[in-house]
Amino acid sequence: MKLKTMDISATASASSIVFDALRKAIIEGQLEEGEPLRQDEIARLFNTSRIPVREAISRLEEQGLVKTQRYKGAVVAGLSPKETAEIFDLRALVEPEIIRNAVPLMSSELLAEAREKCAAFSSATDPMTYGDLNRDFHETLYSASDLKFFQEIADNAIDRVERQIRAQLVMSNGMERAGREHFAILEACEKGDADLASRLTREHIQGAKASLLKHLPGA
Amino acid sequence: MKLKTMDISATASASSIVFDALRKAIIEGQLEEGEPLRQDEIARLFNTSRIPVREAISRLEEQGLVKTQRYKGAVVAGLSPKETAEIFDLRALVEPEIIRNAVPLMSSELLAEAREKCAAFSSATDPMTYGDLNRDFHETLYSASDLKFFQEIADNAIDRVERQIRAQLVMSNGMERAGREHFAILEACEKGDADLASRLTREHIQGAKASLLKHLPGA
DNA sequence: ATATTGAATATTGGATCCAATTTGGATTAT
DNA sequence: ATAATCCAAATTGGATCCAATATTCAATAT
């Protein structure tokens, strides 16, 4: 008798669990810029030894989310205004291409899902969730593309400025304008107008960059 | 008495040494695609324990140069023709922007250095060094830009297709055409024509992609 | 002969211990 | 009191050992 094989691989390695948790805590701002990451302390929090913690930290450093100094340890990486601007420029270059590629590949189911996410963002009331809902909408559209490396780049770039994005969203008009722009991007996708969706995405990112830099010291 | 503090940090950590060595071996093709990386074996080669080896491998995986499976180990990552094409598209998007940004920042010293590298590439006779000399030329020009994140992206993208670049260079006309195109890019930089340098860089990459895909099965 | 079971081996993931380095405070000299 | 010095605590980097899992191959049943 044959049994259906069940995927029981739900158990992830300790280092991956620590990595995911630290990454989430960093991009959500629960760990502030410059805050040291003590291996011992983190190991105690997750009931592990420092080995998987070190592996997680080294992966986070490879992603640019932490900086480490030999024998001194790791701190949450911060960005200068100039660096922030560069990341937004990178996003403004890459993400329009992802959308352009994705539009012809969007199923009606995916568009329906994106419409829900778009509505959820526009009607959000809890500032703590602004960032997640914003990201949720964009990633839904991006997921239709088959450009996985482009998506990797975009994901990492967004990770690095997630804190600034959240700040921008709670600023005056941030949510309102983003909501409008999301809706326009969605409409372009529904019309199948890849060029327009691409252009609107670029302007969306450039606008966020501009409104953010206005409030940063000496951009 | 005060002593001048000397920077004695020449001693890198074991994990960094292993990381650099493995990365070099992978992109130069000394380790073939799919070849398993045995922690124990590597540890013996470097006279260390497996701990720094594991850290190095996890960093390499974060860069996409190896793939690991739980309890099965790491293998050198390969690229499908489609993935190779995507990486070249990414390069064709990012690197022209780096050059465009770099041109106004190029000192005459840097241009002189680039000219030397360009000549060295064109007069190269040992196929083993084609890849290094090619990269050397491009990185010299890119180094003038102040877009460090863009450069990170480009560096990693080039890493991932370094093997294919080397193959392309030894193909018929590969070196000859690359040499000509390098010279044209260099001339545009010397003239201070950022737009032209950018366009030539894009065409250089797109041309390499096209000539490469012609020789790949079912691109 | 072929497929299945099961034990021995190989390999990775993690815990514990030790070494190297930094950091901070007590001590001492001026 | 202040600055330099030195020692103890804290912290990271790495080695060794153990646990968990995968792989191989011989033994066995059909």
Side-chain angles (χ1 to χ4, degrees), chain A:
Chain A
M1 172 194 181
K2 285 239 171 176
L3 286 185
K4 237 187 168 177
T5 61
M6 184 155 72
D7 188 359
I8 215 150
S9 73
T11 51
S13 67
S15 67
S16 292
I17 292 173
V18 174
F19 173 80
D20 290 340
L22 286 180
R23 172 179 166 276
K24 189 163 182 286
I26 290 172
I27 67 181
E28 289 184 356
Q30 290 151 22
L31 294 170
E32 288 180 26
E33 287 185 12
E35 186 161 340
L37 301 176
R38 296 293 164 214
Q39 297 176 5
D40 217 6
E41 181 186 358
I42 296 167
R44 273 196 305 274
L45 284 174
F46 289 91
N47 280 317
T48 67
S49 76
R50 283 166 37 224
I51 300 290
V53 174
R54 281 172 49 184
E55 188 173 324
I57 288 177
S58 104
R59 286 167 62 189
L60 289 168
E61 176 165 36
E62 209 59 45
Q63 293 210 344
L65 294 178
V66 310
K67 284 181 302 189
T68 69
Q69 273 191 311
R70 193 166 154 81
Y71 293 117
K72 292 181 118 185
V75 297
V76 178
L79 291 175
S80 70
K82 177 179 177 148
E83 290 170 328
T84 301
E86 187 186 337
I87 298 270
F88 273 86
D89 288 338
L90 180 61
R91 293 187 56 203
L93 186 69
V94 171
E95 294 180 39
E97 293 306 312
I98 298 175
I99 282 284
R100 185 196 309 282
N101 170 272
V103 165
L105 302 174
M106 291 180 181
S107 66
S108 52
E109 289 79 18
L110 185 124
L111 283 168
E113 188 187 339
R115 183 164 278 275
E116 276 174 32
K117 303 271 174 74
C118 184
F121 177 86
S122 287
S123 60
T125 56
D126 177 9
M128 293 299 296
T129 68
Y130 287 178
D132 287 329
L133 294 168
N134 174 64
R135 189 157 181 162
D136 222 20
F137 170 69
H138 286 291
E139 304 260 347
T140 300
L141 294 182
Y142 296 170
S143 71
S145 94
D146 61 356
L147 302 177
K148 66 173 182 171
F149 297 120
F150 282 60
Q151 285 185 61
E152 275 179 22
I153 305 295
D155 284 344
N156 178 252
I158 295 171
D159 273 356
R160 293 195 187 198
V161 292
E162 181 78 43
R163 269 191 296 258
Q164 286 92 329
I165 293 171
R166 286 162 190 253
Q168 196 271 331
L169 286 176
V170 300
M171 282 182 346
S172 65
N173 270 339
M175 282 297 285
E176 198 262 331
R177 199 190 64 186
R180 264 189 288 115
E181 293 174 357
H182 285 181
F183 189 71
I185 292 170
L186 177 62
E187 272 200 319
C189 293
E190 289 173 335
K191 278 194 305 183
D193 192 337
D195 280 343
L196 178 60
S198 174
R199 186 168 61 78
L200 292 174
T201 297
R202 177 167 46 79
E203 289 169 1
H204 179 57
I205 294 167
Q206 286 171 334
K209 172 192 168 189
S211 103
L212 188 57
L213 289 189
K214 241 185 302 192
H215 297 256
L216 284 181

Side-chain angles (χ1 to χ4, degrees), chain B residues 2 13-15 47-52 70-72:
Chain B
K2 282 239 173 181
S13 66
S15 66
N47 280 319
T48 67
S49 75
R50 283 166 37 223
I51 299 292
R70 191 165 157 83
Y71 292 118
K72 290 182 116 186

Side-chain angles (χ1 to χ4, degrees), chain B residues 46-63:
Chain B
F46 290 91
N47 280 319
T48 67
S49 75
R50 283 166 37 223
I51 299 292
V53 174
R54 281 172 47 185
E55 188 174 324
I57 288 177
S58 104
R59 286 167 64 189
L60 289 168
E61 176 166 36
E62 208 60 47
Q63 293 210 346

Side-chain angles (χ1 to χ4, degrees), chain B residues 66-138:
Chain B
V66 310
K67 284 181 302 189
T68 70
Q69 271 191 312
R70 191 165 157 83
Y71 292 118
K72 290 182 116 186
V75 298
V76 177
L79 290 176
S80 69
K82 179 180 176 147
E83 290 170 330
T84 301
E86 186 185 337
I87 299 270
F88 273 86
D89 287 338
L90 181 61
R91 293 187 55 203
L93 186 69
V94 171
E95 294 179 41
E97 293 306 312
I98 298 174
I99 281 285
R100 184 196 309 282
N101 169 273
V103 165
L105 302 174
M106 292 179 181
S107 67
S108 52
E109 289 79 16
L110 185 121
L111 283 169
E113 188 187 340
R115 184 163 277 275
E116 277 174 30
K117 302 273 174 74
C118 185
F121 176 86
S122 286
S123 60
T125 56
D126 177 9
M128 293 299 296
T129 67
Y130 287 178
D132 288 328
L133 293 168
N134 173 65
R135 188 158 183 162
D136 223 20
F137 170 70
H138 286 291

Side-chain angles (χ1 to χ4, degrees), chain B residues 192-209:
Chain B
D193 191 337
D195 280 343
L196 178 60
S198 174
R199 185 167 62 79
L200 292 175
T201 297
R202 178 165 47 78
E203 290 168 0
H204 179 57
I205 295 167
Q206 285 172 334
K209 172 192 168 190

